[in-house]
Amino acid sequence: MTTPKSGSMPGTPKAEFLQSVRDALGRSDVPPAEAYPRLTETPAELEQQAAQMRQRLEENLPALLDKLAQMAALGGWRVHRASGPEDAIEYIETVARGAETANVVRSNQDVFNQIPVDAALTNLGLTVTTVLRDGTTTRESLREEIRRSGIGITGADYALAETGSVIVLPRKGLARLVSVVPPVHIALVQAEDLLETLDDLFLLRRLEYHQQGGEMGSYLNFITGPSRTADIEMTIVEGVHGPKEVHMIILG
Amino acid sequence: MTANTKITADLFVTCVVDQLYPDVGVSVVRVLRRLGVSIGFPGDQTCCGQPVYNTGYSHQARILAKRVLEQFKDSEYVVVPSGSCAATLRVFYLEIFADDPQLLTEAKALAAKTYEFSEFLVNVLKVEDAADCGASHEGTVTYHPSCHLLRELGVKSEPQKLLQSVPGLEQKELEGAEICCGFGGTFSVKFPHISEGMVTDKVANVQASGADTLVSCDMSCLMNIGGSLNRQESNIKVRHLAQILDVESE
Amino acid sequence: MPEIKTQNFSAASAEAILDPKLRRALDRVAEGFHVARLDRIEEVTQETWDGWKDQAREIKVHTIEHLDYYLDLLDKNVTAAGGHLHFAKDADEANEIVAHIVRTRNIKIVTKSKSMVSEELGLNPVLEAMGVQVWETDLGEYIIQLAEETPSHLVAPALHKSKEDVAALFSEKLGIPYDEDIYHMAATARMVLRDKFMEADLGISGANFVVAETGTLVIITNEGNGRLCTSAPRVHIGITGMEKVIPSMQDLSTFLRLLPRSATGQRITSYVSMTTGPRRSEDEDGPEEFHLILVDNGRSKLLADPALRESLYCIRCGACLNICPVYSRIGGHAYGWVYPGPIGAVVSPMLVGLPKAKELPQASSLCGACREVCPVNIDIPKMLLDLRKKTAESPDSSLRSAPETERILARLYAKLMSSPRLLKMAVKFGRFTQKLERMTPVFSPLTQDGKWIRNAHIPILSRWTRSRDLPTLPKQTFHELWEKELSRDDS
């Protein structure tokens, strides 16, 4: 038995732990690399698969956008197909009026260059804070701002047609909490974010991981609909700890 | 129809039918003969070993399984009027003899020629219409698929095909048909409170179906459900599929 | 480890069966999850569904066969991402690791998202004994934490509680007026826990999967508490069983298709949260530290047994619980330990020790419904039978689950059925006894018409005939009928 010295981290050393696994399997060593087919794809092969994927997406874009809208609605999103930036802004204004809040937080993503929400919402009397540490703000102050807000607006890194999900990745100017703390979340989805299947998504993530020398960021979140529970008598309640109302605005 | 093909089938009648429901065996023989099958009956047969096997006594089960291997080794076909016993011969014997290459070969040979009764009629004798065995039944019937028949042997459509083509028979749907009746061999007496809960629900569903007769391909299920129906003074009859197809049976 | 009550199975299940409120609660759950699951399968077609299941099993078979390799790869990648991977051989060691982190990182408040493995470790009392505030944040877990109970289902831990139960619980423990409205109760939990998420120093989660290729922890949730527990505090610890590793992120597609549908009948849950190490310098938020604790705690026993190895393929969806006619009548607590239902009847005995839990694998009719619904095609009935074999004729008497009489009876049965002559004599004796009983009922009262046995006094027979009739022996066996009438082929 390994007895940790006081002050050192307890736990079984890896070699010992793996040996007991090997003993249980009745093996004394590790089989050769050919035994692990799933992990032998090279970045070049992944890139080729990705290229084929991109072509497929391009060829089927309108149908896939329809599928995204359909699956998102089934998943509990309120889906709005925006005819253009003005239409998107008008929709956001409607949501904001109904939300009974004075504060909005948003991420700092490119999509906001096309959809200038700040001006519109400020006109409605709301404070809009971009979650981006710029020297005057800290992680803590931004967190406070998120807590006070009734609406969180983000873009999407990907939008998955198969499941009707928005995929969010870490980046400068996007806090994870923006899409989970405020009771209303609005996600702006552009046509270029679209992917068809779960396989497409994970292909791209693995490609990035291997291309970046084993780095793909600290998290990836799928969001499909509002927060929900059925823990009491199987009755579905929305907005338990996460947002109660989630809107997907599809641009394109 | 295959009346001209002289198929010989040996009957593994099962201990439950032999000891408690011999009329079912009689119906099986009559139906098969009407379909032109020549029936053999190896006289030393007793039990496939399932009751002890399912309780974990594989040594004891092996003793009985070896007898079956021996008694049926020359059979062309083995017909079994029980889904669970047919599953024992076809599926579980392969587990029992897994460690003995010679006996495993014999068990595989037995498995290849063993059929549950309804399977045999539809898949081997190619019976399309129950009228071909002279069947006719006036009344309403509901069907309970036994678990081993359904899930170990994958026999689902064959009994239905036969029942639906019996002249005069009206079939009623059984709610929760695929839910276990609660027999499970020794389970029924080792955990009687749970078994009773399960059979109570099955009986309620049978009664709700509106049928006057409950049909199954397993007498152990019918012994369980029928015993409960009888305790409740129900008028609902329980019959093996063979008895429905056998016009001479009540 | 939490208290083991598996020895009480018979009594606990007998009591549970008589509880109509529990039955209603179980029916609600089975009905809700089961029907939705069937709808989801119909939507994608049975053929597609079967294809996914085959893929999932293939992935799990491969991974478990090469578990050492994938654990090593996982360790490399968790570390490369800036996280720490810890190996814990048993519950005590896992708890020590958590305790060490708590002490050295000055942790005062912990928020937890659902983790069955943390239940297995009995972690909460250990933390509370250290003076740490522990807040379960999944609504179902929060309810049972207040009630000081254990979960009764893998996916819906508080399903055994009615809304009246929860209202009374909240009123008593939170000092608020009694209110049965389910929406209000959920809102109360939200309100109470809101601040805790933000105040917590440490968030503890389980893991549905851990990806070896990238060192990623995956949780599949609906409430949002999982995201808050793993994003807001400065330290995040993920705790899970060592069998949860999968080789590549690409493999997640198959499991994300199967798990939500199998568990709750959803196409996908509200959230799928994948964590790879702590926050990076450019991240605007997220934990500073990420720890993953992989637990053995008896799983290597399952791994070492070829007959039981496939129990490690389980993805803890709970579909087998929802379909099981036994679980649906007795609920989760009767099983006496962390994992209930069909999979629990295999895993719990092996993790707590077979002598203590030998009844669990016996309490099944082996109907096979669990195997039919399992998204990884695990043959649970086969494993239950294997455990019965281990306990039936074991030379170790602490393993034998039945009284000695059962072994004797099994031997007698085989002897009797091996000898047609002996059997004939036994039948004659049985008929004789029946004649006597008809005249003077002593052991097995017969009905008026002599056709049924009812309320017998003999052991075993009594257990059947107390509620069901048993047919009496007919005048002739099939053997006798064959010899007398049927052997001539008249067709």
Side-chain angles (χ1 to χ4, degrees), chain C residues 302-344:
Chain C
L302 291 166
L303 188 62
D305 190 329
L308 300 177
R309 188 173 294 172
E310 64 175 311
S311 65
L312 293 174
Y313 305 164
C314 177
I315 60 176
R316 303 283 193 263
C317 69
C320 60
L321 274 63
N322 299 336
I323 201 78
C324 179
V326 174
Y327 177 87
S328 319
R329 275 167 191 80
I330 67 176
H333 288 153
Y335 290 79
W337 203 60
V338 180
Y339 302 105
I343 191 65

Side-chain angles (χ1 to χ4, degrees), chain B residues 112-151:
Chain B
K113 61 193 180 188
T114 298
Y115 292 88
E116 179 274 334
F117 174 74
S118 70
E119 253 194 314
F120 188 68
L121 260 59
V122 175
N123 297 337
V124 178
L125 300 181
K126 309 286 185 211
V127 173
E128 295 281 320
D129 192 329
D132 293 343
C133 32
S136 112
H137 181 93
E138 291 303 316
T140 52
V141 143
T142 193
Y143 172 68
H144 163 77
S146 53
C147 295
H148 281 106
L149 183 71
L150 196 59
R151 298 191 183 101

Side-chain angles (χ1 to χ4, degrees), chain B residues 18-19 33 43 45-47 53-54 57 59 151-152 180 189-190 195-196 201 224 227 230-231, chain C residues 13 23 329 365 367 371-372 388-389 393 406 413 417 463 465-469 474 478-479 486:
Chain B
D18 185 24
Q19 300 297 329
R33 280 183 176 159
Q45 62 181 271
T46 54
C47 171
Y53 185 66
N54 278 352
Y57 296 95
H59 289 312
R151 298 191 183 101
E152 294 291 347
C180 180
V189 292
K190 291 175 79 145
S195 173
E196 281 160 6
D201 284 358
N224 184 36
N230 204 64
R231 178 61 65 90
Chain C
S13 59
R23 184 65 206 271
R329 275 167 191 80
S365 61
C367 77
R371 178 181 53 208
E372 202 171 47
R388 291 180 190 187
K389 288 174 190 169
E393 286 172 321
E406 192 188 89
Y413 185 83
M417 290 301 178
R463 288 166 158 231
T465 56
R466 74 186 195 192
S467 66
R468 289 168 277 208
D469 292 341
F478 179 80
H479 267 88
L486 292 171

